[in-house]
Amino acid sequence: MSRHKPFWQAKTLQQMTAQEWESLCDGCGLCCLVRFEDEDSGQVIPTRVHCRLFDPQTCACSNYAERRKHVPDCIKLTPGNIAKLPWMPLSCAYRRLHEGKDLPAWHPLVTGDPESVHEAGVSIRGQTLNEDELADPEDAWSYAAWDLLEDRSGD
């Protein structure tokens, strides 16, 4: 019996179709958090404050197609820029595949269940507040989330 490898094991990020590329997103929401860069160390620190377009219950962008129109500094992930984004979560499929690792066991492409990322406790579902709720953008520092720097891959 012939067994085919799943596309993420058989192709490079550059070889993937747009649909395959988009399907790599596990829906954790970690990349949609407001971040600060420590001036002394250069370390990028996430907060528990999310982008104004992020829906904290679905863990998805509420206007993905036009996100850059409404949030000009939103970064579009591509095979060409993932290496230049060291702040991406350690559990991120794009980062993991770029680094030669496989998808974690809880990833929706592995389990076939889009809820598996939430059930595994990897997502930020219901744990954040909207940046528009802050009186001043710098107030996000009060919600620094050092724990989100940890690798949530489980391997």
Side-chain angles (χ1 to χ4, degrees), residues 25-46:
C25 178
D26 59 36
C28 71
L30 290 166
C31 65
C32 297
L33 297 172
V34 171
R35 292 173 159 58
F36 288 103
E37 184 173 355
D38 183 288
E39 293 175 5
D40 297 326
S41 69
Q43 184 176 30
V44 178
I45 302 136

Side-chain angles (χ1 to χ4, degrees), residues 39-122:
E39 293 175 5
D40 297 326
S41 69
Q43 184 176 30
V44 178
I45 302 136
T47 68
R48 291 204 183 272
V49 178
H50 63 257
C51 166
R52 66 181 38 92
L53 294 179
F54 182 73
D55 181 322
Q57 293 310 309
T58 64
C59 279
C61 183
S62 63
N63 193 350
Y64 186 72
E66 296 181 345
R67 68 193 181 281
R68 297 188 72 207
K69 177 180 171 185
H70 301 285
V71 182
D73 60 347
C74 179
I75 296 173
K76 178 180 178 166
L77 296 178
T78 68
N81 72 0
I82 194 69
K84 299 172 191 148
L85 304 172
W87 53 265
M88 288 297 291
L90 295 171
S91 59
C92 174
Y94 301 103
R95 179 179 181 157
R96 289 180 59 86
L97 294 176
H98 170 74
E99 293 175 347
K101 300 174 184 171
D102 203 355
L103 298 182
W106 48 259
H107 194 285
L109 286 174
V110 175
T111 65
D113 180 4
E115 289 296 308
S116 59
V117 64
H118 310 296
E119 292 167 0
V122 177

